Amino acid sequence: MDFSHEVTYRATRLPVTLATTLIPDAYRSPEYHQGEVEQLWARSWVGVGFSSEVEEPGRVIVRKVAGRSVIVSCDHDGRRHAFLNVCRHRGAQLVLEDCVVGKRIRCPYHAWAYDLDGRCLGTPLFEGSDIPADYEGMFDMAEVVAFDKADHGLFQVRLDEWEGMLFVNLDGGAPGLGEWLGDLSERIGGYGLGGWKVRATSEYDIAANWKLVAENFMEYYHLPWVHPELVKVSRMEDHHRFQGPGMYTGMTTTPISQDSSTSGWLELPPSPSVVPPDSISGRFILIFPNVALSVLPNHAFVMMLEPAAVDRTLERTTLLTSEESIIGPESRQGLTRLGDFWDHVNREDIEIVERVQRGISTPEYPGGRMCYRFEEPLHRFQNMVIDRMVGIDRIPTGDPI
């Protein structure tokens, strides 16, 4: 099967009322997965973390993007940078995990050093290289010809920020993040997410393709059976589509049900800057390809996905609130309950998508008919995937606000 040809996806290209889901090989074929790495992940704005994670000089985070290890750093002036995690000398990986590197990034192999903005500072001998005095002459670079440190900085990666979240793009010719997001700032800018604080983080290792995790987030067909507690707060009849032009899918719940018996939903006061209709709504946005936002008046739950294999996804989750939503012991207890609630909901989702992965791996399964009423955002998402796989750069349109 040729994964780069339109004819492969003809059943999913039909209107959602007639469409069949994306081909099963998209979830079970190693060849498809590798094509996705280069055609989709290497050409998209990928969420990698939060600006608060790298807000002090010397702090770095390390993320995998399209199979490449990427470093995001904060320099001495408080500016953030992203570059490939590979030394320009012999290709050694510079940093293994999130950490504070100090004043510079130094290769553990031959001690080449780089500034926090990726510039090459020097090769042995340079300050802080810890070379024994007896060997300093051996490492003197004075006689080296045709070598300019300016030509040997780290490979830069495009980095941008939106509402406190960091995105990178390996494709230097791709549209900017603003064009990628379309009208999303207009739709959810009233929450002021960029000023909210990270309150809790978790990580999950999921035995399923990343698209199954994303698709599960963006449809509410499964809620009554998989999430009986969530339906008390986000009722089926109060859901509707919420998406305009941009590389995202969206739903909203208006109004949010006033039930806090299982979630602690109402124990945290809302952000004072949030006004109607945001103050009575829940917004559920999947920024293509990997950032899922559940935004409510008093908190946000964010998932960032990283495909580790065709049948394995790493997921990082973050719970955010405004500064004013945490004002004492009672609200901190509510925050704990809220975190437990989202962990419970997330584990319910993980259990079901892992079952889907096992089922969709059955060779005889040909794909299924979409449910038009509840799965239109999923249809939009799957066609974004197809666009990338066949080489089409297109930002979908949507409904007016």
Side-chain angles (χ1 to χ4, degrees):
M1 183 178 294
D2 191 334
F3 300 132
S4 65
H5 281 188
E6 274 284 354
V7 67
T8 302
Y9 308 100
R10 59 185 180 275
T12 310
R13 288 299 207 186
L14 294 171
V16 67
T17 53
L18 300 171
T20 298
T21 54
L22 194 59
I23 58 172
D25 275 346
Y27 307 90
R28 65 193 184 196
S29 163
E31 291 77 20
Y32 189 97
H33 173 73
Q34 188 54 44
E36 223 174 38
V37 167
E38 298 305 324
Q39 291 298 109
L40 190 157
W41 289 93
R43 299 174 55 238
S44 298
W45 283 100
V46 178
V48 294
F50 290 82
S51 56
S52 60
E53 295 180 272
V54 279
E55 63 182 1
E56 62 181 88
R59 173 73 64 178
V60 302
I61 60 173
V62 181
R63 298 290 184 266
K64 187 69 71 69
V65 178
R68 289 84 155 166
S69 182
V70 173
I71 296 173
V72 179
S73 71
C74 179
D75 70 16
H76 306 291
D77 296 319
R79 294 171 299 191
R80 297 177 185 87
H81 306 267
F83 27 81
L84 297 180
N85 187 10
V86 55
C87 180
R88 290 297 305 272
H89 175 221
R90 293 273 295 281
Q93 199 168 73
L94 297 165
V95 184
L96 297 181
E97 59 188 11
D98 299 2
C99 64
V100 177
V101 296
K103 295 182 179 180
R104 61 179 66 88
I105 299 170
R106 192 176 69 183
C107 179
Y109 197 5
H110 298 100
W112 282 40
Y114 305 90
D115 202 355
L116 297 171
D117 61 6
R119 290 180 297 116
C120 182
L121 291 175
T123 59
L125 174 63
F126 58 89
E127 181 185 358
S129 59
D130 301 326
I131 296 172
D134 292 346
Y135 294 91
E136 288 182 357
M138 245 179 235
F139 290 97
D140 186 357
M141 299 287 289
E143 297 181 1
V144 174
V145 297
F147 181 86
D148 187 340
K149 289 184 293 186
D151 299 329
H152 292 80
L154 299 178
F155 295 108
Q156 297 288 326
V157 173
R158 295 174 70 188
L159 173 71
D160 207 343
E161 179 179 346
W162 178 77
E163 293 290 359
M165 288 170 276
L166 299 172
F167 294 80
V168 301
N169 195 320
L170 298 174
D171 182 2
L177 180 61
E179 184 177 348
W180 189 266
L181 297 174
D183 72 345
L184 198 51
S185 292
E186 186 178 356
R187 285 182 179 267
I188 66 172
Y191 289 93
L193 294 179
W196 288 17
K197 304 296 183 182
V198 173
R199 303 298 185 180
T201 60
S202 297
E203 295 186 0
Y204 303 84
D205 196 331
I206 305 172
N209 185 273
W210 71 274
K211 294 185 295 298
L212 293 180
V213 183
E215 291 168 2
N216 177 80
F217 169 82
M218 70 186 69
E219 55 95 343
Y220 54 103
Y221 194 8
H222 70 286
L223 294 189
W225 302 279
V226 179
H227 303 306
E229 296 94 343
L230 186 58
V231 173
K232 295 178 182 179
V233 179
S234 185
R235 299 191 309 170
M236 293 285 288
E237 57 266 39
D238 296 328
H239 273 69
H240 59 269
R241 197 167 65 205
F242 187 70
Q243 56 195 22
M247 293 295 289
Y248 72 92
T249 70
M251 302 179 297
T252 188
T253 302
T254 304
I256 306 167
S257 304
Q258 301 299 298
D259 186 303
S260 62
S261 60
T262 59
S263 68
W265 219 265
L266 303 179
E267 294 185 27
L268 299 183
S271 173
S273 63
V274 178
V275 299
D278 294 336
S279 60
I280 59 168
S281 302
R283 315 298 193 189
F284 305 96
I285 307 294
L286 190 287
I287 302 174
F288 188 87
N290 77 318
V291 179
L293 308 173
S294 298
V295 185
L296 292 109
N298 60 353
H299 77 279
F301 183 71
V302 183
M303 302 188 302
M304 293 189 179
L305 310 178
E306 178 187 307
V310 66
D311 57 357
R312 180 171 171 242
T313 302
L314 302 179
E315 178 186 86
R316 297 181 181 88
T317 68
T318 305
L319 186 61
L320 306 169
T321 78
S322 69
E323 192 73 57
E324 296 84 359
S325 294
I326 307 297
I327 54 176
E330 291 185 0
S331 60
R332 295 188 182 280
Q333 292 173 5
L335 181 65
T336 298
R337 290 187 62 201
L338 193 57
D340 291 342
F341 171 75
W342 277 114
D343 177 72
H344 176 71
V345 169
N346 201 37
R347 291 184 186 280
E348 289 176 333
D349 282 327
I350 289 171
E351 180 181 357
I352 202 68
V353 299
E354 289 183 338
R355 291 183 67 162
V356 175
Q357 182 68 48
R358 294 194 296 270
I360 210 169
S361 298
T362 304
E364 291 77 13
Y365 176 70
R369 182 68 177 268
M370 285 192 180
C371 179
Y372 72 94
R373 182 174 179 183
F374 300 120
E375 294 182 324
E376 194 281 336
L378 187 149
H379 182 255
R380 175 178 167 114
F381 169 82
Q382 291 189 350
N383 277 276
M384 291 182 197
V385 172
I386 294 170
D387 282 349
R388 295 281 139 179
M389 294 300 289
V390 301
I392 295 175
D393 292 326
R394 172 170 49 199
I395 294 179
T397 60
D399 306 322
I401 295 178

